[in-house]
Structures are given as C-alpha cells and as structure tokens.
C-alpha cells in the first residue's frame, strides 16, 4: 500500500526536501515536485533526485501552445523523471503532440519514457469555481470529458479529485489508464484549501492508482508517524 503514496515535496528549499525524504526513508519512494520547489531549486535538483533512484513526479501542469509543451516535455524526459503532467484544457493537439514528440525522443535516445498525465479539474475547484471561469458543466462531467479526451490523445492517465475516480474508471476504456488523486485527507487532518477531499482508504478502495499527500504529512511534527497512521487507516 505504501507504494501507492506519492508525497508532495511542497517545501521551499533543497535542505527541507532532503530532510523530508530522509525522514520517510524505507517507507516512501515516490515524491512529487511541484511549482514551489521547482521554482526555488530548478531542474538540477530534479535530476539529482531522479538519478538517486527515487520516483519523481514533476507536477508543473504545462499549459501552453502545442510546440512549447512538446519541447518542454522532451526536456523533462531528459531529467529522468517517472511522471510529469500537462493541463488537459490546453487541448487535444497539445496533448497529442507532446505524447508523440516525447515518445519519439525517448526511443531515439533509448530513454525510459516518463508517464504523461493530464490535469483535469483542480481538487481545490468546485462547480462554482468552474462557473466563474465560464465552464457550465459540473466538475464531475468536466473531469469525465477531459479524461476521455486525454486517453484518446495517448496520455497515460489523469490527475483528478477522489470524487471522480469512479467516473473516470467507468468511462475511459484505455487499459492501464492511471488515476492519480490529490485532495486526500486522512481522518486526523483538516481539509484546508482542498474542496473535494476524501480519506486515503476511500480513495484507494474506489480504485485510485496513486494518492498524492502533502500537508497532512509535511505539517506533522513527525512525518514518519503521520505516514504510519495513514497506513494503519488504509489497512
Ligand atoms: O497538501 P496537499 O495534500 O493538499 O497537497 C496536494 C498536492 O497536490 C499539492 O502539491 C497540489 O499542488 C497538488 N495538486 C492538487 N490538485 C490537482 C493537482 C495537483 O492538489 N488537481
């Protein structure tokens, strides 16, 4: 079960990130580097962690024109990460071209192709958040449509709230299509800015392939104990 947990390294420095990694040694092997740590420490640190054998999910949610995202995807592949993501609202051409160019590059250079995921609707968004930006369908319907589109474009999976695990699994026919869910809150942690949350146990029982957890572990005085509590809850 612990292999299903991806710990979000949402900290500002390399030293803090290494401290978190060390404090969870032997339990967690998959870590997510997002906008905060990437902006502070850059790609050398990502390469360093990936080459040390850790599974790194680079969560930069690329959202730009097809050529720019495809070329950025190639640079990510060179870092040796396990997964990275693009924003599905960037559109079909952007997703397809990124998959094609990254796959071609990895074959040419004999690199392992990172898994490419699509961000659907942020777990901090509600139906009202979508309405405010002009999307009339509710969050579940939007996630379903974006997941179907991502699969058609060749993505390996989506990032979605735990409330949409079932709808994605039911509607996407592609085999081994991954659902990765942030918005996870163990029973002992507050929801904070996350709106559509669920416990780790609920999310995994609904079929989440991986769960991303940040603050409930990072803000605990002892991250290892927090993870052990989460594993107990899951079992
Ligand atoms: O601290 P918390 O457990 O809420 O962290 C969740 C992590 O997952 C954060 O790094 C956040 O950026 C990320 N994320 C998310 N919702 C998405 C995609 C990524 O919360 N749809």
């Amino acid at each position: 079960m612990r292999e299903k947990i991806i710990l979000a390294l949402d900290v500002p420095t390399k030293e803090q990130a290494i401290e978190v990694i060390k404090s969870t040694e032997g339990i967690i092997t998959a870590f997510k580097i997002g906008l905060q740590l990437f902006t502070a420490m850059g790609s050398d640190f990502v390469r360093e962690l990936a080459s040390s054998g850790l599974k790194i999910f680079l969560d930069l949610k690329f959202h730009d024109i097809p050529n720019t995202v495809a070329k950025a995807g190639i640079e990510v592949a060179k870092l040796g990460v396990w997964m990275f993501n693009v924003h599905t609202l960037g559109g079909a051409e952007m997703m397809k071209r990124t998959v094609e160019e990254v796959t071609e590059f990895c074959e040419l250079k004999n690199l392992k192709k990172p898994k490419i995921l699509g961000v659907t609707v942020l777990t901090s968004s509600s139906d009202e958040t979508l309405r405010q930006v002009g999307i009339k369908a509710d969050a579940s319907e939007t996630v379903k449509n974006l997941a179907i589109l991502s699969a058609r474009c060749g993505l390996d999976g989506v990032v979605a709230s735990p409330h949409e695990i079932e709808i994605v699994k039911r509607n996407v026919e592609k085999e081994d299509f991954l659902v990765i869910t942030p918005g996870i809150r163990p029973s002992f942690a507050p929801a904070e800015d996350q709106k559509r949350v669920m416990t780790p146990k609920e999310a995994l029982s609904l079929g989440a392939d991986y769960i991303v957890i940040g603050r409930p572990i990072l803000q605990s005085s002892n991250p290892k104990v927090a993870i052990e509590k989460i594993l107990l809850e899951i079992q």
Side-chain angles (χ1 to χ4, degrees), residues 8 10 32 59 61 119 121-123 159 182-185 194 212-216:
D10 292 333
K32 186 176 82 64
D59 175 24
K61 303 182 182 68
V119 176
V121 174
L122 295 174
T123 40
V159 184
I184 298 295
R185 287 295 176 266
Q194 297 285 20
V212 174
I213 313 180
R215 286 164 291 182

Side-chain angles (χ1 to χ4, degrees), residues 49-220:
L49 291 183
S51 60
S52 74
L54 297 172
K55 287 161 108 177
I56 301 297
F57 169 16
L58 191 59
D59 175 24
L60 300 181
K61 303 182 182 68
F62 293 143
H63 189 169
D64 209 316
I65 58 172
N67 180 62
T68 303
V69 174
K71 297 296 182 283
I74 289 175
E75 294 309 315
V76 169
K78 290 183 192 168
L79 299 175
V81 304
W82 169 49
M83 313 202 275
F84 75 97
N85 55 10
V86 302
H87 210 297
T88 54
L89 286 174
E93 191 193 333
M94 182 207 84
M95 290 191 270
K96 264 194 221 152
R97 197 151 147 196
T98 303
V99 171
E100 280 164 16
E101 291 199 23
V102 171
T103 307
E104 199 179 309
F105 178 81
C106 291
E107 278 169 9
L108 193 72
K109 301 286 177 189
N110 213 5
L111 294 171
K112 193 165 164 47
K113 186 194 129 270
K115 291 193 188 303
I116 308 177
L117 306 171
V119 176
T120 54
V121 174
L122 295 174
T123 40
S124 57
S125 296
S126 60
D127 294 346
E128 178 55 23
T129 320
L130 294 182
R131 251 192 304 280
Q132 285 164 354
V133 295
I135 297 175
K136 294 196 180 72
D138 65 18
S140 291
E141 188 65 15
T142 308
V143 172
K144 182 186 92 180
N145 295 336
L146 292 171
I148 293 171
L149 184 67
S150 314
R152 279 196 199 129
C153 294
L155 297 198
D156 299 294
V158 284
V159 184
S161 108
H163 293 273
E164 278 85 41
I165 298 166
E166 275 183 301
I167 204 166
V168 174
K169 292 277 174 187
R170 224 182 310 125
N171 288 281
V172 175
E173 283 165 10
K174 191 175 173 188
E175 220 181 303
D176 299 327
F177 192 74
L178 302 171
V179 180
I180 284 101
T181 58
I184 298 295
R185 287 295 176 266
S187 54
F188 60 84
E192 289 157 301
D193 58 346
Q194 297 285 20
K195 296 206 173 70
R196 291 173 300 128
V197 297
M198 229 180 238
T199 67
K201 187 177 180 145
E202 287 169 321
L204 289 171
S205 65
L206 288 169
D209 295 285
Y210 296 97
I211 53 175
V212 174
I213 313 180
R215 286 164 291 182
I217 295 173
L218 298 175
Q219 288 177 356
S220 136

